[in-house]
Amino acid sequence: MINKDFCVCILTHGRPDKVLTYKTLLKCGYTGEVYFVVDNEDKTVDRYRENFGDERVIVFDKKAMADSTDECNNWDYRKVGVHARNACFDIAKKLGYTYFIQLDDDYTAFKFMIDTKSTENCGDRKSIKNIDKVFDLLLSYYKDNNFLAIAMAQGGDFIGGINNGVGSYRFSKRKCMNSWICSTKRRFKFIGSFNDDVNTYTILGSRGNLFLTIPLVSIDQPATQSGKGGMTEAYKLTGTYIKSFHTILMHPSSVKVAMMRTQNIRLHHSFDWKYTMPMIISDVYKIF
Amino acid sequence: MKQIIMFPAVVKETRYSTGIEVPVYEPKNRNPSVYELYDNAKAMNLIARINESSLPEQEKRFLIQAAYRHVVFNYELIADFYAHANKEVQELMEESALVIIDFNKAIELGYVKVCEDIKHQYMEDYIGDIQDNGGNDDQ
């Protein structure tokens, strides 16, 4: 890594022997610093320390973080990821980093997603070999612009192919999910104990804050609710009905729920971007 | 959100797409009426019911403020409107974050550059190993 002011924070809970993201990072050639962000209500903290070393396992006070977060409900239910996301800003700052990427713990690949102009082969989807370089490129763009966060794409963005016949990378680039590149100098708070990523980019984005997805790189992870630990228990407890409605509660003017007809049919949030995010336009339209 | 394709990239391999779709909106020539920029039907409906209620004034005021959460803004038309507005209106729109101005095309050009750089990194990683079909690292 050229950027020494950057680290990776893997947000993990109850999976000390199955932090897939760490293995995947190493496989992709990552040589920078990695920290494992674990909460103090996780019974497997000692096992994390055994596996990754005391200095790399950072334990935060989950109840304290919950008390300072808008969870969008009053259930006092903390088996969710939003608190780790919010804790990362202080953790990175204390460790002496300005920039960090927060990753979930279940990524099985970091990939290039390259459009080959063909709708038949879904493009080139190959593992990144030098992820240091990719992180440096993403960071360079992030540092040069006033984004609150940017992210890599995720597998589901490419349903229908990289080029789906209508065009390449047809999902909105104004979203930000999963792999958030953030700065301790551009702090913001994740919102809601469910759908925290969508709530956050929707609400803050609608107020003119910038988020972006870079579509040529992507993470892969197992189908939602298929693994033990992490958010699976929370989703199984309430279903995606509750999850999706958190975003409607927070932004009722543009968010709806709709059936997501994938292999695992479920309710999912749905919104029209033109009713949600202020447009970015060139300064040629501005009268100076 | 309709986006625009600009700056076709210079890539030797013709196998790859050369356009990068930037997340920047191109305002249209038509100047929309200010009434087209938002839809407040639901909010007005709620407010009418609140006003008809026998609630105390303070509670009414709170509920009326909350009803405005249902006003739907059309940010594409708002950007079109901005492009035709005078300086004073533009400045007030900017302060209210109704549009985001990409000064000196920093977002747009930076986006094209990071996408091109990633594509070049891919080619560097997989030079000589690129097949037309198959060979992808799917799980």
Side-chain angles (χ1 to χ4, degrees):
Chain A
M1 289 287 304
I2 293 169
N3 288 278
K4 301 298 179 198
D5 50 0
F6 168 84
C7 69
V8 168
C9 294
I10 299 178
L11 319 183
T12 181
H13 179 99
R15 292 170 171 162
D17 297 320
K18 209 181 171 190
V19 186
L20 299 178
T21 301
Y22 183 57
K23 288 180 186 167
T24 306
L25 275 171
L26 298 181
K27 201 174 118 191
C28 293
Y30 184 62
T31 63
E33 297 297 333
V34 182
Y35 296 92
F36 300 83
V37 177
V38 184
D39 63 77
N40 63 347
E41 295 175 7
D42 189 331
K43 291 175 182 141
T44 65
V45 168
D46 289 341
R47 182 70 178 157
Y48 277 104
R49 289 191 171 119
E50 266 175 52
N51 288 350
F52 304 111
D54 274 357
E55 69 289 349
R56 290 203 292 158
V57 176
I58 313 297
V59 180
F60 71 96
D61 183 338
K62 199 172 199 179
K63 175 73 168 71
M65 194 51 66
D67 289 344
S68 67
T69 297
D70 180 355
E71 295 174 291
C72 302
N73 60 54
N74 57 2
W75 305 335
D76 202 21
Y77 182 82
R78 294 195 294 279
K79 291 183 178 175
V80 292
V82 65
H83 307 310
R85 290 203 181 283
N86 281 329
C88 274
F89 290 89
D90 281 336
I91 288 169
K93 193 174 180 188
K94 266 189 196 161
L95 291 166
Y97 298 97
T98 304
Y99 303 96
F100 60 92
I101 185 168
Q102 48 178 244
L103 306 173
D104 291 348
D105 61 2
D106 58 350
Y107 301 161
T108 52
F110 294 96
K111 281 183 186 170
F112 292 108
M113 303 297 277
I114 307 295
D115 180 19
T116 53
K117 294 193 288 191
S118 165
T119 55
E120 287 171 12
N121 65 7
C122 293
D124 284 359
R125 310 174 303 282
K126 287 175 180 287
S127 284
I128 294 170
K129 289 181 179 174
N130 183 352
I131 203 163
D132 286 1
K133 184 71 189 291
V134 171
F135 283 157
D136 279 328
L137 292 173
L138 296 177
L139 265 173
S140 173
Y141 184 46
Y142 178 72
K143 286 181 178 182
D144 287 348
N145 288 280
N146 198 26
F147 298 111
L148 277 193
I150 63 172
M152 293 186 260
Q154 47 184 3
D157 292 331
F158 300 97
I159 290 170
I162 294 174
N163 184 330
N164 64 6
V166 182
S168 310
Y169 311 107
R170 290 303 299 169
F171 54 92
S172 174
K173 320 303 182 297
R174 299 288 297 277
K175 68 196 284 192
C176 202
M177 306 276 286
N178 259 301
S179 54
W180 299 68
I181 290 180
C182 303
S183 165
T184 58
K185 292 181 177 169
R186 302 180 199 175
R187 294 181 73 111
F188 61 93
K189 278 223 150 184
F190 287 88
I191 303 158
S193 53
F194 292 88
N195 238 17
D196 51 319
D197 41 13
V198 181
N199 300 336
T200 303
Y201 72 68
T202 304
I203 295 161
L204 299 183
S206 73
R207 294 172 188 164
N209 296 288
L210 281 168
F211 298 91
L212 205 69
T213 291
I214 307 297
L216 279 77
V217 280
S218 173
I219 56 111
D220 266 3
Q221 59 191 148
T224 183
Q225 301 167 51
S226 64
K228 281 185 182 171
M231 287 286 288
T232 300
E233 194 181 322
Y235 290 150
K236 286 196 169 159
L237 187 71
T238 65
T240 53
Y241 180 89
I242 294 287
K243 176 178 181 277
S244 304
F245 266 96
H246 270 69
T247 310
I248 292 183
L249 283 173
M250 298 308 290
H251 205 262
S253 61
S254 74
V255 186
K256 302 172 186 169
V257 290
M259 290 306 289
M260 191 178 187
R261 300 201 173 275
T262 57
Q263 203 170 11
N264 174 15
I265 295 173
R266 59 190 191 274
L267 277 172
H268 204 260
H269 62 268
S270 162
F271 50 85
D272 190 328
W273 288 91
K274 71 171 176 281
Y275 300 133
T276 307
M277 298 277 188
M279 299 292 122
I280 303 170
I281 62 172
S282 165
D283 63 0
V284 300
Y285 298 101
K286 177 175 168 57
I287 300 168
F288 288 96
Chain B
M1 188 188 312
K2 292 182 186 87
Q3 297 167 340
I4 49 176
I5 296 178
M6 298 188 72
F7 303 104
V10 182
V11 181
K12 282 178 189 167
E13 289 77 357
T14 53
R15 182 171 182 269
Y16 296 101
S17 173
T18 52
I20 302 283
E21 189 183 75
V22 295
V24 173
Y25 178 73
E26 183 73 23
K28 311 228 175 17
N29 285 332
R30 188 179 80 87
N31 184 10
S33 152
V34 75
Y35 298 107
E36 294 175 69
L37 308 185
Y38 61 94
D39 175 356
N40 65 354
K42 180 159 186 176
M44 290 303 111
N45 206 350
L46 285 168
I47 289 168
R49 290 185 57 199
I50 294 162
N51 282 330
E52 285 165 14
S53 73
S54 53
L55 292 172
E57 265 320 295
Q58 278 192 335
E59 287 178 26
K60 276 187 181 179
R61 255 181 268 149
F62 157 68
L63 288 169
I64 287 169
Q65 292 301 317
Y68 286 107
R69 296 168 70 238
H70 296 277
V71 176
V72 180
F73 293 95
N74 185 324
Y75 292 105
E76 285 185 357
L77 291 178
I78 287 170
D80 297 346
F81 180 80
Y82 172 94
H84 296 86
N86 66 37
K87 192 170 189 288
E88 186 182 14
V89 175
Q90 284 194 345
E91 282 173 359
L92 289 169
M93 288 179 77
E94 289 164 33
E95 275 179 40
S96 191
L98 288 166
V99 290
I100 297 163
I101 306 300
D102 183 16
F103 288 100
N104 301 316
K105 294 191 174 181
I107 295 172
E108 181 181 311
L109 297 179
Y111 185 81
V112 172
K113 183 175 186 313
V114 72
C115 290
E116 281 309 312
D117 288 347
I118 288 170
K119 208 183 283 181
H120 288 143
Q121 183 62 35
Y122 167 70
M123 289 174 181
E124 203 172 286
D125 279 5
Y126 285 97
I127 196 160
D129 187 30
I130 295 166
Q131 303 161 29
D132 261 348
N133 226 328
N136 283 308
D137 298 331
D138 291 330
Q139 300 296 310

